[in-house]
Amino acid sequence: MKAISIRQPWAWMILNGKDVENRDWATRFRGRVLIHASKGMTYEEWQDAWEFAQGSGLSPKAVNAGLTSKNIARGGIVGSVEIVDCVTKSDSRWFVGRYGFLLRDPEPLPFIPFKGQLGFFDVPDHLLKVSP
């Protein structure tokens, strides 16, 4: 299955209601994609993201979940989302880039450690099998 790396806390935000992923490049890809939480994240990036998210309703949800810059999942697969379009304009509060991947139907998954890559990349199906 295809995956895309996203820095935290943006990956968490996608799984909790952020409906656009901003990129400097367009895609024709449509369909379900795994969300990979990048390993790297500075405290300044963490603060900047939450400052941008003010008023979105996500900050209280993160606080209630006990989410911090120290315990947020990084360096692996954290969920999936459907990419339904790639646009250059959007009314979404989350759209700020050159291109925006419009997202829907986020599904958190149990954390799976995995090394990310640039662009879309493949994750072997056998890693996604959940034990009964």
Side-chain angles (χ1 to χ4, degrees):
M1 187 170 190
K2 294 287 183 198
I4 188 168
S5 279
I6 300 171
R7 292 178 83 80
Q8 288 287 29
W10 302 109
W12 184 90
M13 289 182 193
I14 285 171
L15 297 174
N16 288 277
K18 180 177 178 273
D19 62 354
V20 174
E21 171 58 14
N22 296 290
R23 294 286 161 153
D24 289 331
W25 46 275
T27 185
R28 292 184 178 161
F29 180 88
R30 303 294 183 270
R32 186 143 299 270
V33 63
L34 295 169
I35 300 297
H36 175 272
S38 300
K39 192 164 191 146
M41 179 194 72
T42 67
Y43 187 70
E44 290 75 25
E45 288 172 323
W46 172 266
Q47 289 180 304
D48 289 346
W50 288 111
E51 186 175 307
F52 182 86
Q54 286 293 332
S56 68
L58 292 181
S59 294
K61 190 173 183 178
V63 169
N64 290 340
L67 196 63
T68 71
S69 63
K70 295 191 185 322
N71 69 10
I72 195 166
R74 297 193 332 243
I77 306 300
V78 293
S80 70
V81 71
E82 186 180 355
I83 297 176
V84 296
D85 205 355
C86 178
V87 299
T88 56
K89 295 179 183 175
S90 173
D91 291 333
S92 171
R93 74 180 320 275
W94 300 105
F95 181 80
V96 295
R98 185 171 173 201
Y99 298 100
F101 300 173
L102 300 185
L103 311 173
R104 74 173 175 209
D105 194 25
E107 294 183 7
L109 293 170
F111 181 77
I112 303 168
F114 196 78
K115 186 175 178 180
Q117 299 176 35
L118 296 176
F120 290 105
F121 59 96
D122 290 314
V123 174
D125 288 341
H126 71 86
L127 289 180
L128 304 175
K129 303 287 188 233
V130 178
S131 301

